[in-house]
Amino acid sequence: MTDERSYLDTEPLLPSWLRDRLGRFRFAHLSGDAEPKAARILDLLQFTPPWLLSLPVSSLNLSVRGCNVLESTSIVTIGDLAAYGSRGVWRFANLGRKTYFEICERIVRAFSAGNASAHYALFLPGTVRQGAVSKGTLAADRQDERLGEVGPAPVVSLKTALEAFFSLLTPKEQQIMKMRIGVGGAAATLQEIGDVVGVTRERIRQIESRAVAKLRQLPYWNSDLPRRLDALLEGREDCLPLEGLEVLDPWFKGAADSSSVFGYVAELIPETPFHLVREGPLTFVSRASQDDWDAAIITSRRLLAGLVGTRTTLADARALVDGLLTGNGEELRHELWHSAARHAHFADEGSGPILVSYGFGANHLVQAELSASDRPLHFTEIHARLVQSQQPCDVRRVHNAAAAIGLLYGRGIYGAERHFPLDDAETKLVVSETEDIVGGYAPGRQWHAREICDALEERGFEFGGRLDPYVVSLALRGSIRMTYLGRMVWVSSASGTTGSANRLDVHQAIVSILEDAGAALSTYDVRARLSRERGLNCYFQIQPEGQVVRLGVGMWGLMARDLPFSENEASDFVREIRRILTERCKGLHISEIYDAVSPRLPAATKVLDPALFIGLAQKNVGFSVAKGQYLYLSEWGGSRRLTIGEAVASVLEEAGPAGLHSEEGAPRIASLIERPFPKSLYAASCRSAGAIYSAITGRWHLPSEDDGEDEDA
């Protein structure tokens, strides 16, 4: 077989195992997929082997619905589907999503099972079984030479068998064959031998053919050699090293010292040849050839590289690689995995080892470390872990690799997607609120993530201390209305509503949306409905004006309908909050407002989210909200309270390079912010403040100049 046509002509005549192996190799080569996948199989059917295309669809054991769909479209064989592809099949009448994927998965299952499968073989007329095609023989060209009346002496080893063989040859034939098979040196080519002997390479080939014919007539070559090798390979689960042959069977004494000789006779003499497979410094005996092995190595490495990002487990990856060697060469599976997985990096993310990267560069090593870690890591800590695992890499290369493939979670701190602290709903809320904040300012204004984070905190978004400028910047990757300028700077990518007329129109539209909804809506829902029902797809900010009131974090409603008390009682709350602030002369944290107002206003028990108090205050002149969700009187110019971030920076600065444990730092922070501060928030708060964690001391400290650049992604 030299081209596609000769393959198609010869394929039906091949043994089952060879049909499968060639079919898989051809599919991988032409399609670019190491293994067939259900999602793409209909578009790649032209690359599958002929035996699969000839299978009737009845062999797939489809559901009744699937059979009816294909029958109504006159689909008889799998090959008939190749003319349609995935797009065409989707147009079949009465074809649902479940039936479509059932068809794809059954085709992949048939391909994976192979034509030798007892089930599918029933549907393949004229299948040729393994061994039905015999190797060609040179016996017709043999000269009628006698091997001697007495015959060779009994052989007790491979060495004596070779001596018996050479004793049957003429001196010239002995010289040629010893050079050809490498006795006493490297094996020579026909041309090299011809130059030495002084004849043409064709003449050398003829002499070799006659000598091989004599060799094949000796009974122990076609009986002892294959029988003994079969016995050693039968049921074997590990490789059969050439050096270990004589230990397992003394008959093979000296085989390792004459590997070229052994390889020559093992491949040429038995009806089903044996081969020497070389991998690095090791040599193995197998039914698989060196070409089979090399192809398996290449395919296995491509397979593992292609599985990166698919969350493939270690066990599944091993099974897929093992599947590349079926029949001949199965005993090489362990060595194949060892070779293929040498540069595979697995990380345990809680459900067992997962393939996270493949390669031997710094990027792959860093990605593996980040995936294996349960938290983001400073690049110096990544470097230390690599050194500890005996994978040393220059610290600068580690830093560059972390910046290239990791997500920035702090000053010099990088992590993976799994370390992102917000879920999908929280991320969507951050994006919608950010877009609402930006909509209240002139288009084109640039926003640093820290500014956005402060504005979000003023609106009550803290997520239990999990929100910081780095998390905000990562969350905004999902916004279609914000453009990233680098160094954690964002700008609106669309124009906003301008002018009092436009603002009034938007406000009236928001009121109408809330009235139609009949209940409170989130910022995301308000914006989505305005875009869907009113065609308003520009930047705008929801203002707590008129009947619109902020009922809680990210929730909006109408004063007359959605408040848990009357509007008169709402006014009482505002007056009481003003009185309390005047007496305290410092701001109230959102968590403190309920306890402050409830003694004099029992209606406070109806409030489920204390952010409602801030929403009511913001509708009145004279109140402001500071970073950290502190409500204060606008005339003060500030809340007169420290935020968590400011308190963290203060205690860490006081601690100096030594840093602080959570047991030491949390109480100090609570004292500065004048309210409880749980130890569970200490790490997140330190990270938000730009502090660095030392895995050696277990302490957090403020960064020095050597701890990496901030905002380097």
Side-chain angles (χ1 to χ4, degrees):
M1 290 179 286
T2 57
D3 55 18
E4 183 74 356
R5 171 170 291 185
S6 60
Y7 164 75
L8 295 175
D9 291 340
T10 310
E11 196 269 350
L13 304 176
L14 299 174
S16 298
W17 66 270
L18 187 54
R19 294 177 76 181
D20 276 342
R21 182 167 297 176
L22 286 177
R24 292 176 185 276
F25 178 82
R26 172 174 171 268
F27 177 84
H29 178 71
L30 296 178
S31 69
D33 287 353
E35 291 291 330
K37 300 179 180 66
R40 298 186 49 186
I41 190 64
L42 290 179
D43 293 322
L44 302 177
L45 279 177
Q46 66 268 33
F47 304 132
T48 58
W51 68 262
L52 180 69
L53 297 177
S54 66
L55 278 177
V57 292
S58 59
S59 67
L60 299 178
N61 291 334
L62 297 172
S63 62
V64 174
R65 185 181 184 87
C67 292
N68 292 339
V69 168
L70 296 182
E71 183 178 355
S72 65
T73 321
S74 301
I75 301 297
V76 179
T77 66
I78 293 176
D80 294 338
L81 292 170
Y84 291 90
S86 59
R87 290 188 178 182
V89 172
W90 272 118
R91 297 190 181 97
F92 287 0
N94 301 320
L95 178 73
R97 181 181 182 85
K98 181 178 179 181
T99 304
Y100 172 86
F101 283 105
E102 178 193 25
I103 294 171
C104 296
E105 289 167 359
R106 294 297 174 85
I107 293 175
V108 170
R109 182 187 301 176
F111 192 176
S112 301
N115 73 97
S117 166
H119 171 72
Y120 298 110
L122 297 175
F123 300 90
L124 296 173
T127 301
V128 180
R129 293 296 171 207
Q130 183 171 340
V133 179
S134 62
K135 293 176 63 69
T137 178
L138 300 175
D141 298 325
R142 294 174 181 162
Q143 296 182 1
D144 187 15
E145 299 181 78
R146 298 183 62 189
L147 298 179
E149 295 181 358
V150 179
V155 296
V156 294
S157 68
L158 175 65
K159 181 178 180 181
T160 57
L162 287 172
E163 291 172 351
F165 162 60
F166 286 124
S167 69
L168 301 176
L169 305 179
T170 66
K172 184 175 183 180
E173 289 175 334
Q174 288 187 30
Q175 178 191 11
I176 291 174
M177 288 304 296
K178 287 182 178 181
M179 293 178 64
R180 181 63 172 149
I181 65 179
V183 175
T189 65
L190 296 175
Q191 186 62 54
E192 290 171 342
I193 299 173
D195 293 341
V196 172
V197 179
V199 296
T200 64
R201 63 189 306 276
E202 175 59 25
R203 179 57 181 158
I204 299 299
R205 188 194 65 78
Q206 294 172 356
I207 295 173
E208 180 187 16
S209 297
R210 288 200 303 270
V212 169
K214 296 178 182 179
L215 186 64
R216 284 178 172 155
Q217 289 181 352
L218 297 174
Y220 39 82
W221 290 115
N222 264 320
S223 59
D224 280 11
L225 178 64
R227 176 175 57 81
R228 292 175 184 276
L229 290 178
D230 274 331
L232 294 177
L233 288 172
E234 182 68 27
R236 193 175 186 86
E237 296 183 357
D238 57 345
C239 302
L240 179 58
L242 177 62
E243 291 77 5
L245 281 182
E246 64 180 85
V247 177
L248 299 172
D249 187 342
W251 193 87
F252 292 101
K253 183 177 181 180
D257 299 329
S258 306
S259 60
S260 61
V261 177
F262 177 82
Y264 182 89
V265 296
E267 290 188 19
L268 194 63
I269 304 307
E271 185 174 331
T272 304
F274 297 87
H275 304 275
L276 293 183
V277 174
R278 293 175 173 82
E279 173 62 19
L282 304 176
T283 303
F284 307 107
V285 181
S286 176
R287 288 285 192 187
S289 68
Q290 185 71 47
D291 289 343
D292 294 335
W293 173 254
D294 292 341
I297 287 289
I298 294 173
T299 304
S300 62
R301 290 174 178 172
R302 290 177 178 174
L303 170 64
L304 291 178
L307 291 174
V308 173
T310 62
R311 299 191 60 77
T312 301
T313 64
L314 173 62
D316 289 343
R318 177 67 185 268
L320 290 171
V321 171
D322 285 350
L324 298 176
L325 288 177
T326 56
N328 292 341
E330 287 188 3
E331 77 284 351
L332 297 174
R333 285 176 171 177
H334 178 78
E335 190 64 28
L336 177 63
W337 172 254
H338 176 74
S339 178
R342 188 174 303 157
H343 302 305
H345 306 286
F346 293 86
D348 192 342
E349 298 182 0
S351 58
I354 301 293
L355 180 63
V356 295
S357 67
Y358 189 84
F360 52 86
N363 284 19
H364 301 289
L365 297 175
V366 169
Q367 184 175 359
E369 288 297 332
L370 291 179
S371 298
S373 175
D374 58 354
R375 60 178 174 80
L377 302 172
H378 192 268
F379 70 89
T380 56
E381 190 175 355
I382 300 174
H383 176 259
R385 292 190 177 197
L386 290 176
V387 172
Q388 187 177 7
S389 61
Q390 298 183 349
Q391 299 182 93
C393 189
D394 180 72
V395 66
R396 188 174 297 276
R397 290 183 62 197
V398 170
H399 191 184
N400 292 337
I405 56 96
L407 301 178
L408 184 66
Y409 283 96
R411 184 183 177 95
I413 299 174
Y414 301 90
E417 197 72 50
R418 64 187 291 253
H419 301 134
F420 187 66
L422 306 182
D423 59 29
D424 291 342
E426 292 169 334
T427 302
K428 185 185 295 184
L429 198 56
V430 168
V431 171
S432 61
E433 288 293 330
T434 298
E435 293 173 350
D436 186 62
I437 292 169
V438 172
Y441 293 83
R445 173 183 169 177
Q446 295 183 6
W447 291 77
H448 192 278
R450 187 168 286 104
E451 293 179 275
I452 300 174
C453 186
D454 291 345
L456 288 171
E457 287 188 10
E458 290 175 9
R459 290 193 172 195
F461 293 94
E462 286 185 332
F463 299 113
R466 289 174 289 142
L467 195 67
D468 61 41
Y470 297 95
V471 172
V472 168
S473 194
L474 291 174
L476 290 180
R477 295 174 300 169
S479 173
I480 61 175
R481 296 186 175 92
M482 301 287 287
T483 300
Y484 188 56
L485 301 181
R487 301 190 69 80
M488 299 176 68
V489 176
W490 295 82
V491 66
S492 61
S493 55
S495 61
T497 58
T498 58
S500 58
N502 284 336
R503 177 173 172 176
L504 181 60
D505 289 342
V506 171
H507 180 74
Q508 291 173 344
I510 292 173
V511 172
S512 178
I513 288 291
L514 290 171
E515 289 176 345
D516 293 343
L521 294 175
S522 69
T523 303
Y524 175 82
D525 290 332
V526 171
R527 299 178 69 86
R529 293 196 182 201
L530 283 173
S531 176
R532 182 174 64 251
E533 300 174 14
R534 304 298 177 91
L536 186 61
N537 197 28
C538 58
Y539 273 106
F540 60 88
Q541 186 177 40
I542 304 176
Q543 299 289 344
E545 300 173 344
Q547 278 291 306
V548 179
V549 61
R550 186 188 297 273
L551 297 174
V553 177
M555 296 298 297
W556 299 90
L558 299 176
M559 288 280 295
R561 183 192 68 193
D562 299 316
L563 289 179
F565 36 68
S566 68
E567 293 188 50
N568 289 334
E569 289 176 309
S571 299
D572 292 340
F573 277 114
V574 173
R575 284 193 293 270
E576 179 65 10
I577 291 173
R578 185 185 296 275
R579 184 191 67 79
I580 293 172
L581 289 174
T582 302
E583 288 182 357
R584 291 170 57 104
C585 294
K586 59 183 176 182
L588 279 171
H589 187 259
I590 185 174
S591 63
E592 301 167 337
I593 298 177
Y594 177 84
D595 291 337
V597 301
S598 58
R600 298 187 61 176
L601 298 175
T605 58
K606 301 178 182 179
V607 178
L608 300 178
D609 188 341
L612 172 59
F613 295 125
I614 293 181
L616 292 174
Q618 284 181 310
K619 291 179 64 65
N620 292 266
V621 177
F623 291 96
S624 295
V625 180
K627 178 183 178 183
Q629 295 182 273
Y630 288 107
L631 182 65
Y632 66 95
L633 297 179
S634 302
E635 60 192 53
W636 296 348
S639 67
R640 302 174 179 176
R641 299 277 295 272
L642 288 181
T643 66
I644 291 177
E646 292 168 341
V648 169
S650 176
V651 297
L652 290 181
E653 184 175 1
E654 182 181 348
L660 289 173
H661 286 287
S662 60
E663 290 79 3
E664 303 168 309
R668 298 187 191 183
I669 294 172
S671 175
L672 290 177
I673 64 176
E674 302 176 85
R675 57 189 177 89
F677 179 78
K679 293 179 181 179
S680 58
L681 295 182
Y682 182 71
S685 301
C686 289
R687 189 180 299 114
S688 177
I692 294 174
Y693 177 75
S694 171
I696 299 175
T697 63
R699 296 170 176 264
W700 289 85
H701 63 88
L702 293 178
S704 63
E705 294 182 358
D706 298 328
D707 286 320
E709 295 294 329
D710 194 8
E711 305 167 7
D712 53 354

